[in-house]
């Protein structure tokens, strides 16, 4: 853990147009800084703006105003394709619903981001194999998502997020779709991998157990961080 | 009956003429001489305007000769044969023709019909015309040589034979100077064109004048 | 790049079921398209051959004298050196057999005749004793030469002539001053003539023997015909026109020479042939539109399935171009697969069609796939489908990976939350992003436009069709939107099933409207074709129950009519359709001279475009100053019907009346001479002027071969006019024909007895084939339409999967869900079909009116059938497509998200 700020957010604003009434402000004047190697939990009730903040941080959506600096790069200044490239390299996202490619095997799913980034095939294979090992899915690597359990799917998703060694790992309710036991196992795996690799992690959740495993906990209330 | 469809002007004219005639002499009640041309497409003027058919062309020619009161009725029916002659003449009896110009037979010939039947039809027609007091002009006809000499000769003979038998004015060949000459005929090679009809009219006129003289309808020079 | 291609391929392979279905579906459309075009092409060629065989040539030049040097030079120049020529001279003559002489048509031919078709001979030695309809007539491989130097040159006589002249093979016949020997009996000749009826029996002799007959002297009336066979690929129509122009430039006035090509063989047939070609074009365009809609729908469905994966890819950092590239790659792969399959199918299967469809398609018919069609199919399958799918592609433009966080179902499964950008969505309003969508339609529109023009071979027609179809499209969208209001109103019901189903429809506004529009378009297209077909078929086919007569009798004198009737009754024959015939002229119309009027109209501004055509018509002698035939009848014949105006009065016209009498005109005649209802026409009937007013227009089905007239008068007008009668005698066994004909001629020599036979049979055969082909094409188009409908409904139901699942989670039973689905899609399908059909009635009427001379017949049964079929297909497809979902456990579905 260092004191290098990896992500700094300032004066972030986001509202969604509402039919008939004034736009609904989801994120208002939010700012925070995250240092390299930190693990952060963003909590809040349903509708507090967690997912919106997550989308903004992941570069999946654009704010109305404010800046998001990731590794000193302003996400808001990039066009769609630059952003896509940057995201592929620097941001790993884990979704509540896993979002695996249904027609690709576990291994192919994990390889996918590397292939998009045009890594050398040799490198792709060594990295993928290592990550598969790390998430403990080597034996099930040729299975399609439909043939995997929920926990296994999420492990594939984690592996897929980690394989590019992103600067920032974002997880949206990573255990939300899993039963308690499995959820815990997946969370264990996630934190093990993050801490061992010194990665920065932001978890968006309303699961307090999961939140407490993070070094810092930010609560989102009515669009503002407390 | 046809008066209704004449123009008003002619109607009034005819009426005045009638009144005038009545005041002068009952014997002059019938001022006009009527000629009916009973024929086929050659008479009807197939392929040319009815005003260009030879019966119509006769009007100015007659006028030039001083015959101003001659009414010409074109009773030509394309494709008709001599078989229709008798019944058609009956229809025209109502206009009380003075002269019958009988020009039928070409279609009988073209269709290779029996020449005896043709002779009979013509003869019956002539008989009826005579009994109705008409003066008859019989136009002879010939058919193209491709029908064979035997038939064409038999056909040709029918007309002079009738002409000998009955007191009629006989024109040996209606299409004299016209038949077979492409410049006087339409593309079909059988119907006279405008020029052809003019020649026919010129050839017909002496016979018509003869007939008019026969019925004692001398030219009435207007001036 | 390799990676993306590999990924694309992998995706397709993993989705084998989808890919297969897709490829099959698309190839059905393409095969339909290829098949339609191949049939179109083949039938045209087939008929062309038939017409050629009737004319015996590609082109024929008719004149009443031998062609002169200048004329021969023109022919030489225009037709080129590669032509084959056959000469014929024909004329009437009295020929003699055993003590009988009879009118015959002498046909002098050279060795080259006929250039197409063949002369069939009876080679049985005792032909006179064989039943004449004996089918075992074989073709002489080497017919006896006509130009031999025997003391008696040979002649081929027709059976009729043999009977009339009472001669056998080997007997002598006198033609002019020469004796000919009857060497062969001809049983069938290629007609070689344009007339459907034969005035006199035919005898063939050699041209070289013509001179010896001595019949060719001054004044002989002969017809000289030169037949030409031109190298394949020659533009006959163009050459015909050139020849006509050159010949008419030679003379001042009426041209001396007539030029015909196989299309002129029969004017009526030519018109029918024109309708047929136009109809085929229409069917092909409709097939094209159906295929287009089907393709777009398939790709839309495919893209919907791929959207989530594309979002994931983008979430993982794939660029927009790469994502496009991936889909593009897949579209091309699938399209290529479908194209390959369809081409393979057409090449392998289509030639088998004539075998399989024996009786349904013309005998001796060979299916040839024109290379252009294959090219078009490849284009349609790959590039074309890409272009048609462009509007669907635009969807990717709106796709943002953020949907992954919001829950994917919001993007594809619940249209209400984030309505899938339906391909029709821009219809009612477009702004912002939708402009891009609007623009994305342009290439597809242009391609359709191009194809429509290629299919119809006319800029005007292609454009009109395109505009028409897009207007229908717009009207449907508007109707759909209007109906939503109704649906909303009726959804306030207490019946749960109806309530849910109706609510589904109006809440999914865009999906419902797009589904409605598409089904309605499908219903529309598959109804337009048969409706147009019905009209054309009615025109082309011989009317049922109106048998073609065996004989036409002309020139029956009024006093002969009853005699003839008794005469025929005694012989157990019937005299039918006796119609009076009076000849006269038309002097003027509305006070303007009849011919001056036409000249005037011809140079009118309106006819400027048609001038060329008119000039042509004139050169063909249409406007020759001629006499017309008038008739009257108690009631209209079964072969004619009134199309405009009121029926003629039943009270006889009074000569004393100062009102014009009533006239009925055949509509084609009225059109040709620019006459309309209310026009006052002055006639000259045998020297008596008469005035009539046009009261109505009739449509006559000339193909019925019943006595019909252009001009009918009110009763009473012509009662006393000199007239003859035209009548017919119904068809009879061939063996009875000759004796009857002879008997009539013996008894009534002036009556012309025309045998309606060979050519008419041939023409009827052709129209029969046209009818069959038209039907066949219609059903092919309908089949293609139903396949497209199936994929549309299947696609639409799949968007409902998520809701079905939800309904089940909420406790709805299988049967409830099924009832909701049935209700929803039944309603959508039925109303859409209903409106599609209603609109198709109007449009098909318009098409018929504009392109096919107002031939339009409404067949209630078919429309009802299509309504039922489309409703059923909608419901059944919805059930099948959702069936899998219905029977799944909700949990499994939750997991699959």
């Amino acid at each position: 853990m260092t004191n290098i700020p990896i992500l700094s957010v300032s004066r972030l604003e986001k509202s969604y147009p509402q039919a008939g009434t004034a736009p609904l402000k989801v994120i208002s004047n939010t700012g925070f800084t995250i240092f390299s190697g930190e693990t952060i939990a963003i909590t809040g009730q349903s509708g507090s703006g967690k997912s919106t903040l997550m989308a903004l941080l992941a570069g999946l959506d654009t704010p109305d105003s404010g800046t998001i600096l990731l590794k000193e790069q302003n996400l808001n200044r990039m066009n769609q394709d630059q952003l896509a490239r940057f995201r592929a390299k620097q941001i790993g996202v884990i979704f509540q619903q896993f979002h695996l490619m249904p027609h690709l095997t576990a291994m192919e799913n994990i390889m996918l981001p590397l292939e998009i980034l045009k890594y050398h095939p040799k490198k792709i294979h060594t990295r993928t194999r290592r990550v598969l090992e790390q998430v403990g899915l080597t034996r099930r690597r040729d299975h399609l998502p439909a043939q995997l359990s929920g926990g296994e799917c999420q492990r594939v998703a984690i592996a897929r997020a980690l394989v590019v060694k992103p600067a920032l790992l974002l997880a949206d309710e990573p255990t939300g779709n899993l039963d308690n036991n499995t959820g815990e196992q997946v969370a264990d795996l996630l934190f093990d991998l993050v801490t061992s690799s010194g990665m920065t992690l932001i978890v968006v959740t309303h699961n307090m157990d999961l939140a407490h495993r993070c070094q810092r906990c930010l609560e989102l209330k009515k669009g503002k961080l407390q | 009956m046809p008066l209704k469809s004449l123009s008003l002007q002619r109607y009034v004219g005819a009426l005045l003429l009638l009144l005038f005639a009545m005041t002068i002499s009952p014997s002059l009640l019938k001022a006009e001489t009527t000629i009916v041309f009973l024929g086929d497409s050659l008479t009807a003027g197939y392929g040319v305007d009815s005003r260009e058919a030879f019966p119509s062309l006769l009007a100015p020619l007659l006028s030039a000769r001083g015959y101003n009161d001659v009414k010409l009725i074109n009773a030509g029916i394309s494709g008709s044969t001599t078989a229709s002659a008798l019944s058609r003449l009956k229809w025209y009896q109502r206009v009380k023709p003075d002269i019958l110009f009988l020009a039928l037979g070409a279609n009988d010939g073209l269709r290779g019909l029996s020449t005896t039947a043709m002779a009979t039809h013509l003869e019956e027609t002539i008989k009826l015309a005579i009994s109705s007091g008409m003066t008859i002009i019989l136009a002879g006809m010939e058919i193209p040589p491709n029908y064979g000499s035997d038939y064409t000769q038999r056909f040709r003979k029918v007309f002079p034979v009738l002409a000998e038998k009955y007191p009629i004015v006989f024109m040996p060949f209606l299409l004299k100077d016209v038949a077979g000459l492409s410049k006087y005929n339409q593309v079909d090679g059988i119907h006279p064109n405008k020029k052809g009809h003019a020649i026919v009219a010129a050839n017909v006129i002496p016979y018509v004048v003869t007939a008019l003289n026969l019925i004692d309808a001398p030219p009435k020079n207007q001036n | 790049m390799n990676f993306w291609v590999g990924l694309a391929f992998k995706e397709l392979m993993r989705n084998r079921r989808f890919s297969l279905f897709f490829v099959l579906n698309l190839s059905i459309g393409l095969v339909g398209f290829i098949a339609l075009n191949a049939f179109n092409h083949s039938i045209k060629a087939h008929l062309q051959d038939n017409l050629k065989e009737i004319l015996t040539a590609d082109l024929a030049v008719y004149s009443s004298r031998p062609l002169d040097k200048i004329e021969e030079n023109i022919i030489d120049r225009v037709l080129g050196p590669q032509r084959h020529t056959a000469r014929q001279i024909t004329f009437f003559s009295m020929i003699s057999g055993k003590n009988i002489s009879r009118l015959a048509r002498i046909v002098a031919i050279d060795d080259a005749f006929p250039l197409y078709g063949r002369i069939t001979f009876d080679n049985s030695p005792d032909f006179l004793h064989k039943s004449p309809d004996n089918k075992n007539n074989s073709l002489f491989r080497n017919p006896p030469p006509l130009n031999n130097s025997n003391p008696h040159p040979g002649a081929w006589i027709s059976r009729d002539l043999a009977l009339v002249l009472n001669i056998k093979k080997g007997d002598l016949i006198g033609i002019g001053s020469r004796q000919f020997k009857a060497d062969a009996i001809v049983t069938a000749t290629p007609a070689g003539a344009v007339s459907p009826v034969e005035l006199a029996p035919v005898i063939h002799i050699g041209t070289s023997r013509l001179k010896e007959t001595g019949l060719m002297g001054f004044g002989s009336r002969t017809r000289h015909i030169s037949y030409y066979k031109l190298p394949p690929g020659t533009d006959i129509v163009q050459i015909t026109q050139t020849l006509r122009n050159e010949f008419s430039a030679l003379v001042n006035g009426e041209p001396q020479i007539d030029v015909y090509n196989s299309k002129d063989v029969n004017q009526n047939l030519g018109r029918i042939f024109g309708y047929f070609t136009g109809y085929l074009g229409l069917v092909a365009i409709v097939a094209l539109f159906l295929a287009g809609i089907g393709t777009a729908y398939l790709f839309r469905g495919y893209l919907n399935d791929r959207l989530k994966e594309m979002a994931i890819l983008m979430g993982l950092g794939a660029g927009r171009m790469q994502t496009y590239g991936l889909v593009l790659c897949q579209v091309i792969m699938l399209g290529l697969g479908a194209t390959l399959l369809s081409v393979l199918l057409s090449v392998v299967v289509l030639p088998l069609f004539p075998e399989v469809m024996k009786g349904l398609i013309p005998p001796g018919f060979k299916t040839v796939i024109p290379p252009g069609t294959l090219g078009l199919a490849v284009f349609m399958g790959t590039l074309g489908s890409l272009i048609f799918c462009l509007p669907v592609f635009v969807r990717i433009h709106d796709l943002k990976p953020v949907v992954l966080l919001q829950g994917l179902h919001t993007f594809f499964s619940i249209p209400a939350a984030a309505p899938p950008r339906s391909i029709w969505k821009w219809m009612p309003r477009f702004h912002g992003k939708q402009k891009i969508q609007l623009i994305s339609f342009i290439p597809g529109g242009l391609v359709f436009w191009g194809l429509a023009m290629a299919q119809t071979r006319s800029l005007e027609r292609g454009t009109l069709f395109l505009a028409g179809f897009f207007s229908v499209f717009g009207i449907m969208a508007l109707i759909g939107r209007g109906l939503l209001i109704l649906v909303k109103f009726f959804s306030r019901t207490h019946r749960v099933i109806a309530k849910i189903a109706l609510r589904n429809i109006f809440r999914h506004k865009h999906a419902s409207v797009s589904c409605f529009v598409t089904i309605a378009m499908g219903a529309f297209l598959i109804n337009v074709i048969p409706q147009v077909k019905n009209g054309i078929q009615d025109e082309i086919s011989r009317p049922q129950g109106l048998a073609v007569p065996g004989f036409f009798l002309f020139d029956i004198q009024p006093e002969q009519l009853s005699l003839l009737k008794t005469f025929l009754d005694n012989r157990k024959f019937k005299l039918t359709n006796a119609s009076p015939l009076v000849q006269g002229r038309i002097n003027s119309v509305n006070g303007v001279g009849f011919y001056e009027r036409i000249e005037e109209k011809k140079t009118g501004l309106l006819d400027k475009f048609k001038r060329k055509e008119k000039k042509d018509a004139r050169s063909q002698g249409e406007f020759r100053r001629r006499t017309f035939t008038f008739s009257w009848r108690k009631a209209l014949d079964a072969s004619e019907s009134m199309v405009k105006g009121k029926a003629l009065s039943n009270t006889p016209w009074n000569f004393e009346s100062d009102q014009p009498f009533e006239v009925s005109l055949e509509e084609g005649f009225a059109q040709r001479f620019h006459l309309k209802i209310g026009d006052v026409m002055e006639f000259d009937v045998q020297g008596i002027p008469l005035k009539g007013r046009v009261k109505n227009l009739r449509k006559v089905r000339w193909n019925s071969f019943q006595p019909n007239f252009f001009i009918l008068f009110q009763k009473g007008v012509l009662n006393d006019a000199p007239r003859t009668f035209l009548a017919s005698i119904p068809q009879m066994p061939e063996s009875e024909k000759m004796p009857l004909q002879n008997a009539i001629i013996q008894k009534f020599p002036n009556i012309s007895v025309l045998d309606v036979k060979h050519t008419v049979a041939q023409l009827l055969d052709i129209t029969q084939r046209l009818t069959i082909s038209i039907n066949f094409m219609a059903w092919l188009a309908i089949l293609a339409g139903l396949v497209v409908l199936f994929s549309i409904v299947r696609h639409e139901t799949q968007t409902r999967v998520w809701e079905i699942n939800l309904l089940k989670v909420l406790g709805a039973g299988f049967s409830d869900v099924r009832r909701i689905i049935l209700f929803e899609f039944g309603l959508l399908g039925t109303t859409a079909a209903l409106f599609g059909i209603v609109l198709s009635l109007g449009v098909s009427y318009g098409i018929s009116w504009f392109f096919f001379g107002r031939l339009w017949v409404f067949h209630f049964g078919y429309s009802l059938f299509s309504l039922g079929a489309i409703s059923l297909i909608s419901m059944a497809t919805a059930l099948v497509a959702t069936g899998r979902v219905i029977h799944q456990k909700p949990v499994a579905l939750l997991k699959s998200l």
Side-chain angles (χ1 to χ4, degrees), chain C residues 250-293:
Chain C
L250 284 183
V251 285
N252 194 8
E254 222 181 332
Q256 308 277 307
I257 298 162
D258 286 333
V259 185
Y260 292 103
N261 62 36
S262 48
K263 285 201 178 113
D264 300 318
V265 162
N266 178 289
Q267 215 186 5
N268 193 31
L269 195 68
R271 192 170 43 92
I272 286 169
F273 197 72
Y275 291 154
F276 183 68
T277 319
Y279 168 82
L280 290 183
L282 178 73
V283 174
I285 290 178
V286 167
L288 207 69
F289 271 80
L290 282 171
I293 292 178

Side-chain angles (χ1 to χ4, degrees), chain C residues 21-315:
Chain C
F21 179 76
F22 183 98
V23 165
L24 277 178
N25 220 338
L26 185 58
S27 47
I28 286 173
L30 286 176
V31 167
F33 178 77
I34 296 172
L36 276 178
N37 264 300
F39 271 105
N40 188 339
H41 180 88
S42 309
I43 284 172
K44 265 194 220 165
H46 187 77
L47 291 172
Q48 211 69 263
D49 286 352
N50 259 281
L51 292 177
K52 271 183 204 164
E53 281 186 23
I54 291 182
L55 187 69
T56 74
D58 290 315
L59 196 135
V61 173
Y62 290 69
S63 59
S64 54
R65 51 170 174 77
L67 297 176
D68 62 26
K69 232 189 181 119
I70 302 169
E71 290 154 350
E72 286 286 3
N73 281 343
I74 289 176
I75 289 172
D76 228 17
R77 183 157 40 78
V78 176
L79 301 188
Q82 292 211 285
R83 65 178 192 270
H84 295 273
T85 310
R87 309 265 186 194
Q88 193 187 85
I89 298 166
T90 170
F91 57 93
F92 290 99
S93 188
M94 297 296 280
I95 64 168
S96 51
K98 287 181 181 158
N99 308 319
I100 308 166
S101 87
R102 214 42 190 296
L103 185 72
R105 191 158 73 90
I106 318 287
V107 177
I109 54 174
D110 60 12
D111 294 335
F113 182 87
L115 296 172
Y116 292 103
R118 48 170 65 158
I119 297 174
T120 320
F121 298 92
D122 186 339
N123 64 351
S124 60
D126 53 346
F127 62 93
L128 273 179
H129 307 295
K130 280 229 165 176
S131 147
D133 50 11
N134 164 26
K135 293 276 188 293
N136 296 325
N137 299 327
S138 66
L139 184 79
F140 271 128
R141 286 278 163 252
N142 298 304
L146 287 174
N147 293 325
N148 55 11
S149 53
N150 293 342
H152 299 301
W156 301 338
I157 62 172
S158 71
R159 262 193 188 151
D160 297 352
L161 195 65
L163 277 163
V164 172
L165 293 178
N166 189 23
I167 48 173
K168 295 193 297 288
K169 199 148 81 182
D171 285 351
L172 293 182
I173 305 155
I175 304 175
S177 48
R178 194 77 167 91
Q179 293 280 316
F180 287 79
K181 200 172 98 194
D183 264 348
I185 304 294
V186 171
T187 52
T189 49
V194 187
S195 156
V197 282
E198 201 71 84
L199 199 65
V202 169
I203 176 166
H204 286 91
I205 60 170
T207 6
S208 59
R209 293 306 186 150
L210 210 47
K211 229 178 187 171
E212 299 164 31
T213 62
L215 295 174
M216 295 291 95
F218 170 78
S220 287
R221 194 179 166 226
T222 51
R223 199 125 170 83
H224 295 251
I225 311 166
S226 303
Y227 295 101
Y228 298 103
K229 180 182 187 173
L230 300 170
T234 317
D235 186 351
I236 309 271
V237 177
Q238 182 57 46
I239 280 196
T240 309
Q241 196 53 50
T242 315
L243 266 188
R244 279 178 190 161
N245 291 344
E246 298 238 2
F247 284 145
S248 69
L250 284 183
V251 285
N252 194 8
E254 222 181 332
Q256 308 277 307
I257 298 162
D258 286 333
V259 185
Y260 292 103
N261 62 36
S262 48
K263 285 201 178 113
D264 300 318
V265 162
N266 178 289
Q267 215 186 5
N268 193 31
L269 195 68
R271 192 170 43 92
I272 286 169
F273 197 72
Y275 291 154
F276 183 68
T277 319
Y279 168 82
L280 290 183
L282 178 73
V283 174
I285 290 178
V286 167
L288 207 69
F289 271 80
L290 282 171
I293 292 178
T295 314
Y297 243 87
L298 283 169
F299 277 114
R300 202 183 105 164
Y302 173 70
L303 213 68
N304 262 351
D305 288 349
R306 295 282 85 83
L307 273 179
K308 176 185 167 187
E309 283 142 51
M310 281 188 264
I312 296 171
L313 280 172
M314 285 160 100

